[in-house]
Coordinates of all heavy atoms in Angstrom, one line a residue:
F107 N -77.0 -5.5 -27.8 CA -77.6 -5.3 -26.5 C -76.6 -5.5 -25.4 O -76.6 -4.8 -24.4 CB -78.8 -6.2 -26.3 CG -79.5 -5.9 -25.0 CD1 -80.2 -4.7 -24.8 CD2 -79.6 -6.9 -24.0 CE1 -80.9 -4.5 -23.7 CE2 -80.2 -6.6 -22.8 CZ -80.9 -5.4 -22.7
S110 N -74.7 -2.4 -24.9 CA -75.5 -1.4 -24.2 C -75.3 -1.6 -22.7 O -75.1 -0.7 -21.9 CB -76.9 -1.4 -24.6 OG -77.7 -0.5 -23.8
I111 N -75.4 -2.9 -22.3 CA -75.2 -3.3 -20.8 C -73.8 -3.0 -20.4 O -73.6 -2.4 -19.3 CB -75.6 -4.8 -20.6 CG1 -77.0 -5.0 -20.9 CG2 -75.3 -5.2 -19.2 CD1 -77.4 -6.5 -20.9
G114 N -73.4 0.6 -19.9 CA -74.0 1.0 -18.7 C -73.1 0.8 -17.5 O -73.0 1.6 -16.6
M115 N -72.5 -0.4 -17.4 CA -71.6 -0.7 -16.3 C -70.4 0.3 -16.3 O -70.0 0.8 -15.2 CB -71.0 -2.1 -16.5 CG -72.0 -3.2 -16.3 SD -71.3 -4.9 -16.4 CE -72.7 -5.9 -16.3
L118 N -71.6 3.6 -15.1 CA -71.9 3.6 -13.6 C -70.6 3.7 -12.8 O -70.5 4.5 -11.8 CB -72.6 2.3 -13.2 CG -73.1 2.2 -11.8 CD1 -74.1 3.3 -11.4 CD2 -73.7 0.8 -11.5
L247 N -84.1 10.0 -15.0 CA -84.1 8.5 -14.8 C -82.8 8.1 -14.1 O -82.9 7.2 -13.2 CB -84.2 7.8 -16.2 CG -84.3 6.2 -16.1 CD1 -85.4 5.8 -15.2 CD2 -84.4 5.7 -17.5
G248 N -81.7 8.6 -14.5 CA -80.4 8.3 -13.8 C -80.4 8.6 -12.4 O -80.0 7.8 -11.5
G250 N -83.1 8.8 -10.5 CA -84.0 7.8 -9.9 C -83.3 6.5 -9.7 O -83.5 5.9 -8.6
I251 N -82.5 6.0 -10.7 CA -81.8 4.7 -10.6 C -80.8 4.9 -9.4 O -80.6 3.9 -8.6 CB -81.1 4.4 -11.9 CG1 -82.1 4.1 -13.0 CG2 -80.2 3.2 -11.7 CD1 -83.0 2.9 -12.8
G252 N -80.1 6.0 -9.3 CA -79.2 6.2 -8.2 C -79.8 6.1 -6.9 O -79.3 5.5 -5.9
I253 N -81.0 6.7 -6.7 CA -81.7 6.6 -5.4 C -82.1 5.2 -5.1 O -82.0 4.7 -4.0 CB -83.0 7.5 -5.5 CG1 -82.5 9.0 -5.6 CG2 -83.9 7.3 -4.3 CD1 -83.7 10.0 -5.9
I254 N -82.6 4.4 -6.2 CA -83.0 3.0 -6.0 C -81.8 2.2 -5.5 O -81.9 1.4 -4.6 CB -83.6 2.5 -7.3 CG1 -84.9 3.1 -7.6 CG2 -83.7 0.9 -7.2 CD1 -85.5 2.7 -9.0
I255 N -80.6 2.5 -6.1 CA -79.4 1.7 -5.7 C -79.0 2.0 -4.3 O -78.7 1.1 -3.5 CB -78.2 2.1 -6.7 CG1 -78.5 1.6 -8.1 CG2 -76.9 1.6 -6.1 CD1 -77.5 2.0 -9.1
I256 N -79.1 3.3 -3.9 CA -78.8 3.7 -2.5 C -79.7 3.0 -1.5 O -79.3 2.4 -0.5 CB -78.9 5.2 -2.3 CG1 -77.8 5.9 -3.1 CG2 -78.8 5.6 -0.8 CD1 -77.9 7.4 -3.1
Y258 N -81.5 0.2 -1.9 CA -81.2 -1.2 -1.9 C -80.0 -1.5 -1.1 O -80.0 -2.4 -0.3 CB -81.1 -1.7 -3.4 CG -80.9 -3.2 -3.4 CD1 -82.0 -4.0 -3.5 CD2 -79.7 -3.8 -3.3 CE1 -81.9 -5.4 -3.6 CE2 -79.5 -5.2 -3.4 CZ -80.6 -6.0 -3.5 OH -80.5 -7.4 -3.5
N265 N -77.2 -10.3 -2.4 CA -77.1 -10.6 -3.9 C -76.9 -9.4 -4.7 O -77.7 -9.2 -5.7 CB -78.4 -11.4 -4.3 CG -78.6 -12.7 -3.6 OD1 -77.6 -13.4 -3.4 ND2 -79.8 -13.1 -3.2
N266 N -75.9 -8.6 -4.4 CA -75.7 -7.3 -5.1 C -75.4 -7.5 -6.5 O -75.9 -6.7 -7.4 CB -74.6 -6.5 -4.4 CG -75.0 -6.0 -3.0 OD1 -76.2 -5.8 -2.8 ND2 -74.1 -5.9 -2.1
G267 N -74.7 -8.6 -6.9 CA -74.4 -8.8 -8.3 C -75.6 -9.0 -9.1 O -75.8 -8.4 -10.2
S268 N -76.6 -9.8 -8.6 CA -77.8 -10.1 -9.3 C -78.7 -8.8 -9.4 O -79.3 -8.5 -10.4 CB -78.6 -11.2 -8.6 OG -77.9 -12.4 -8.5
F269 N -78.6 -8.0 -8.3 CA -79.4 -6.8 -8.3 C -78.9 -5.8 -9.4 O -79.7 -5.2 -10.2 CB -79.3 -6.1 -7.0 CG -79.8 -4.7 -6.9 CD1 -81.1 -4.4 -7.0 CD2 -78.9 -3.6 -6.9 CE1 -81.6 -3.1 -7.0 CE2 -79.3 -2.3 -6.8 CZ -80.7 -2.0 -6.9
F270 N -77.6 -5.7 -9.5 CA -77.0 -4.7 -10.5 C -77.2 -5.2 -11.9 O -77.5 -4.4 -12.8 CB -75.5 -4.5 -10.2 CG -75.3 -3.5 -9.1 CD1 -74.8 -3.9 -7.9 CD2 -75.6 -2.1 -9.3 CE1 -74.6 -2.9 -6.9 CE2 -75.4 -1.2 -8.3 CZ -74.9 -1.6 -7.1
L271 N -77.2 -6.6 -12.1 CA -77.5 -7.1 -13.4 C -78.9 -6.8 -13.8 O -79.2 -6.4 -15.0 CB -77.2 -8.6 -13.4 CG -77.4 -9.3 -14.8 CD1 -76.5 -8.8 -15.8 CD2 -77.2 -10.8 -14.6
L272 N -79.8 -7.0 -12.9 CA -81.2 -6.7 -13.1 C -81.4 -5.2 -13.5 O -82.1 -4.8 -14.4 CB -82.1 -7.0 -11.9 CG -83.6 -6.8 -12.0 CD1 -84.2 -7.6 -13.1 CD2 -84.2 -7.1 -10.7
I273 N -80.8 -4.3 -12.7 CA -80.9 -2.9 -13.0 C -80.3 -2.5 -14.3 O -80.9 -1.7 -15.1 CB -80.1 -2.1 -11.9 CG1 -80.9 -2.1 -10.6 CG2 -79.8 -0.7 -12.3 CD1 -82.1 -1.1 -10.6
L274 N -79.2 -3.1 -14.7 CA -78.5 -2.8 -15.9 C -79.3 -3.3 -17.1 O -79.5 -2.5 -18.1 CB -77.1 -3.4 -16.0 CG -76.1 -2.7 -15.1 CD1 -74.9 -3.6 -14.8 CD2 -75.6 -1.4 -15.8
V275 N -79.8 -4.5 -17.0 CA -80.6 -5.1 -18.2 C -81.9 -4.4 -18.3 O -82.3 -3.9 -19.4 CB -80.8 -6.6 -17.9 CG1 -81.8 -7.1 -19.0 CG2 -79.5 -7.3 -18.0
G276 N -82.6 -4.2 -17.2 CA -83.9 -3.5 -17.2 C -83.9 -2.1 -17.7 O -84.6 -1.7 -18.6
T277 N -82.9 -1.3 -17.2 CA -82.7 0.1 -17.6 C -82.3 0.2 -19.1 O -82.8 1.0 -19.8 CB -81.7 0.8 -16.7 OG1 -82.1 0.7 -15.4 CG2 -81.6 2.3 -17.1
S278 N -81.4 -0.8 -19.5 CA -81.0 -0.7 -20.9 C -82.2 -1.0 -21.9 O -82.3 -0.4 -22.9 CB -79.9 -1.8 -21.1 OG -78.7 -1.5 -20.4
L279 N -83.1 -2.0 -21.5 CA -84.2 -2.3 -22.3 C -85.2 -1.0 -22.3 O -85.7 -0.7 -23.4 CB -85.0 -3.4 -21.6 CG -84.4 -4.8 -21.9 CD1 -85.1 -5.9 -21.0 CD2 -84.6 -5.2 -23.4
I280 N -85.4 -0.4 -21.2 CA -86.2 0.8 -21.2 C -85.6 1.9 -22.0 O -86.3 2.6 -22.8 CB -86.4 1.3 -19.7 CG1 -87.3 0.3 -18.9 CG2 -87.1 2.6 -19.7 CD1 -87.3 0.5 -17.5
S281 N -84.4 2.2 -21.8 CA -83.7 3.3 -22.6 C -83.7 3.0 -24.1 O -83.9 4.0 -24.9 CB -82.3 3.5 -22.0 OG -81.5 2.4 -22.3
N288 N -78.4 5.9 -22.6 CA -78.0 4.9 -21.6 C -76.7 5.4 -20.8 O -76.6 5.2 -19.6 CB -77.7 3.5 -22.2 CG -78.0 2.4 -21.3 OD1 -79.0 2.4 -20.6 ND2 -77.2 1.4 -21.2
I291 N -77.7 8.1 -18.3 CA -78.5 7.5 -17.2 C -77.6 7.0 -16.1 O -77.7 7.3 -15.0 CB -79.4 6.4 -17.7 CG1 -80.6 7.0 -18.6 CG2 -80.1 5.6 -16.6 CD1 -81.4 5.9 -19.4
F292 N -76.6 6.1 -16.5 CA -75.8 5.5 -15.5 C -74.7 6.4 -15.0 O -74.2 6.2 -13.9 CB -75.2 4.2 -16.1 CG -76.3 3.1 -16.1 CD1 -76.9 2.7 -17.3 CD2 -76.7 2.5 -14.9 CE1 -77.8 1.7 -17.3 CE2 -77.6 1.5 -14.9 CZ -78.2 1.1 -16.1
A295 N -76.6 8.1 -12.3 CA -76.8 7.2 -11.2 C -75.6 7.0 -10.4 O -75.6 7.1 -9.1 CB -77.3 5.8 -11.8
V299 N -75.0 8.1 -6.4 CA -74.6 7.2 -5.4 C -73.3 7.6 -4.7 O -73.2 7.5 -3.5 CB -74.4 5.8 -6.1 CG1 -73.8 4.8 -5.1 CG2 -75.7 5.2 -6.5
I309 N -69.6 -0.2 -4.8 CA -70.0 -0.6 -6.2 C -68.8 -0.8 -7.1 O -68.8 -1.8 -7.9 CB -70.9 0.6 -6.8 CG1 -72.2 0.6 -6.1 CG2 -71.1 0.4 -8.3 CD1 -73.1 1.7 -6.5
F313 N -67.8 -4.4 -9.2 CA -67.5 -4.6 -10.6 C -66.0 -4.9 -10.9 O -65.7 -5.2 -12.0 CB -67.9 -3.3 -11.4 CG -69.4 -3.2 -11.5 CD1 -70.1 -2.1 -11.0 CD2 -70.2 -4.2 -12.2 CE1 -71.5 -2.0 -11.1 CE2 -71.5 -4.1 -12.3 CZ -72.2 -3.0 -11.7

Side-chain angles (χ1 to χ4, degrees):
F107 185 65
S110 180
I111 296 171
M115 291 183 185
L118 184 62
L247 180 56
I251 295 295
I253 293 171
I254 291 171
I255 291 172
I256 291 172
Y258 184 90
N265 294 324
N266 291 330
S268 300
F269 167 72
F270 280 110
L271 182 61
L272 180 64
I273 284 286
L274 286 159
V275 172
T277 305
S278 298
L279 283 169
I280 293 169
S281 65
N288 211 42
I291 291 169
F292 284 104
V299 171
I309 289 173
F313 289 119

